[in-house]
Amino acid sequence: MTTWNLQGTVSHLLICNGSSCRKHKGEEVAAAIEQEIGKQGAEARIHTTVTRCNGRCSDACVVIAYPEGVWYQGITPKLAKKLVRKHLKGKQLKENVVYTFNKKLKAVDQRGGKGKQKP
């Protein structure tokens, strides 16, 4: 098992690879993010984790950025590269933001608020 030294990490991207996100190129999104991180020389600044399901299947492919607490929807391999570049500048991919975090998750608009209530 690998244990990464995360000193210097400023952003953690959680990339959904549940079944809906995989149908929407989730594996390719993860690969594009990793490639862009490498291209930008940002391996020590951005850490990635591929997850199983982030619970927002209708928003596939979902990428969550922490500590910002921003949930992105509809991320494609092309947008994934743009997302990395934006995050390195401290910016967001605004057109794809579905949730933001400010002491609690908040939907950006009505569409983001739709979904099933958790039991």
Side-chain angles (χ1 to χ4, degrees), residues 89-108:
K89 295 176 183 174
K91 298 180 180 179
Q92 298 175 357
L93 194 59
K94 291 190 184 275
E95 56 273 15
N96 294 83
V97 174
V98 68
Y99 277 94
T100 59
F101 190 82
N102 185 8
K103 299 187 182 176
K104 66 178 181 173
L105 279 178
K106 181 180 178 199
V108 173

Side-chain angles (χ1 to χ4, degrees), residues 11 16 44 76 85 109:
S11 188
C16 186
T76 63
R85 292 189 301 269
D109 57 30

Side-chain angles (χ1 to χ4, degrees), residues 13-53:
L13 300 180
L14 304 165
I15 309 155
C16 186
N17 263 225
S19 60
S20 292
C21 287
R22 277 196 318 274
K23 289 177 189 171
H24 287 90
K25 300 188 177 189
E27 291 175 300
E28 292 91 339
V29 167
I33 286 173
E34 289 292 340
Q35 288 170 356
E36 191 63 26
I37 290 169
K39 181 178 176 184
Q40 299 296 324
E43 295 91 339
R45 297 185 350 211
I46 300 177
H47 183 67
T48 61
T49 301
V50 174
T51 67
R52 283 308 258 162
C53 179

